[in-house]
Amino acid sequence: MRIDGSGTLRAGCVLCPNPGPMTLEGTNTWILREPGARGVVVVDPGPHDERHLERVARTVQEQGAQVQMTLLTHRHFDHTEGSRYFAELTGAPVHAVDPGMRLGGSGLEDGQVITADGLELRVIATPGHTDDSVCFLLESDSAILTGDTILGHGTSVIDGDDGLAPYMDSMYRLRDLVRAHGVRTLLPGHGPILTSPSAAIDSYIDHREARLEQIRDAVRAGATKVEEIIDRVYPDVAESIRPAAASSVRAQLRYLAVKGELPEDVEN
């Protein structure tokens, strides 16, 4: 399973050496360039790992190219913490949905087309993992850069108790986009590239729907606290990712509460 150096004609991955339970093999920094062009777009520079950031900058230089801009898929530090140092290395602005993440750059709006020396990317708002999450449609390569909305393996964590409904909407939207644009490849923020996009998205949707049913079953069995539900739904969860499981459970409980499916005595 090759991650570092993988990609498409216009997109290449530089893998950051920050593996972990939440980052999988590490953060994927994507270098995007139209063939033969000089201008480069970098997506998610990663954490403040100077060796990694310098390697990304050096990779661009070795291509005889120059970074024109950096784009962020969402605000989490494993994607953004290195932005300032990378901006210092390259002189390129950082564009993001969250104003606090921008460095000399502007916002990213749904449907916006970003161009750089012949390269075109379309911004796709995909809230759920975070409320500022976006993906980027690279139509010329029949690819979508998915950040943490869809991972190379495993499933994405929902950040925030109200995030599941928009996340599911984002999944349905991505499924429609894959079909409408003939997308063949997903380029995630962590893990290997996915070459069966429809199957990957369907599995995410099926997983969330199955988890919701497990939550319903746990509540029917008498679980009323988040920790009790975790013990029933995620009995083998490692302590290191238990907080992530708690976040996911709260999001699912909130989703059920809004739909009127949750008894009043259940914590949410």
Side-chain angles (χ1 to χ4, degrees):
M1 178 179 63
R2 185 171 71 100
I3 298 175
D4 192 63
S6 65
T8 62
L9 178 62
R10 294 168 176 81
C13 177
V14 180
L15 178 64
C16 182
N18 62 325
M22 303 302 295
T23 56
L24 306 182
E25 292 83 0
T27 299
N28 295 339
T29 296
W30 292 99
I31 297 174
L32 311 179
R33 181 168 70 108
E34 191 68 18
R38 190 165 185 266
V40 162
V41 175
V42 169
V43 176
D44 290 347
H48 190 86
D49 180 320
E50 293 188 3
R51 291 184 64 183
H52 168 69
L53 298 166
E54 289 165 3
R55 181 184 172 216
V56 175
R58 185 169 61 252
T59 299
V60 173
Q61 291 173 348
E62 289 172 351
Q63 295 174 355
Q66 181 177 6
V67 179
Q68 286 193 356
M69 68 183 76
T70 297
L71 308 178
L72 304 180
T73 59
H74 64 294
R75 63 176 171 264
H76 284 162
F77 78 93
D78 55 315
H79 296 255
T80 66
E81 187 185 33
S83 295
R84 185 169 297 280
Y85 183 64
F86 191 67
E88 292 171 357
L89 286 175
T90 63
V94 178
H95 304 281
V97 172
D98 186 338
M101 297 289 106
R102 302 171 195 165
L103 294 168
S106 58
L108 299 173
E109 298 182 0
D110 186 42
Q112 176 184 356
V113 176
I114 296 168
T115 60
D117 204 358
L119 184 80
E120 286 193 359
L121 292 169
R122 185 177 299 275
V123 179
I124 307 165
T126 51
H129 173 66
T130 60
D131 58 10
D132 68 330
S133 288
V134 293
C135 296
F136 299 105
L137 173 63
L138 180 57
E139 192 163 10
S140 52
D141 276 1
S142 301
I144 298 176
L145 291 92
T146 60
D148 282 4
T149 298
I150 298 176
L151 304 176
H153 55 84
T155 55
S156 182
V157 172
I158 306 301
D159 183 14
D161 296 352
D162 296 314
L164 184 54
Y167 185 82
M168 295 302 288
D169 288 343
S170 294
M171 288 296 102
Y172 299 136
R173 184 182 187 195
L174 286 171
R175 183 172 64 182
D176 291 344
L177 279 168
V178 164
R179 294 170 178 170
H181 293 272
V183 172
R184 297 191 301 268
T185 308
L186 301 181
L187 307 175
H190 303 281
I193 66 174
L194 297 168
T195 55
S196 299
S198 292
I201 294 170
D202 285 343
S203 71
Y204 264 59
I205 292 171
D206 292 345
H207 169 77
R208 290 295 172 188
E209 291 177 345
R211 282 293 191 212
L212 282 167
E213 190 56 33
Q214 289 178 312
I215 297 289
R216 293 186 185 101
D217 288 343
V219 171
R220 293 187 195 111
T224 60
K225 303 294 184 184
V226 169
E227 292 299 320
E228 295 171 352
I229 295 171
I230 292 173
D231 291 338
R232 287 179 178 272
V233 177
Y234 304 93
D236 300 319
V237 67
E239 283 301 316
S240 61
I241 59 174
R242 194 175 180 92
S247 176
S248 182
V249 166
R250 284 192 295 270
Q252 292 172 92
L253 289 173
R254 180 62 178 163
Y255 180 79
L256 294 174
V258 170
K259 291 172 66 68
E261 297 186 35
L262 207 61
E264 291 184 1
D265 63 336
V266 176
E267 177 183 338
N268 69 88

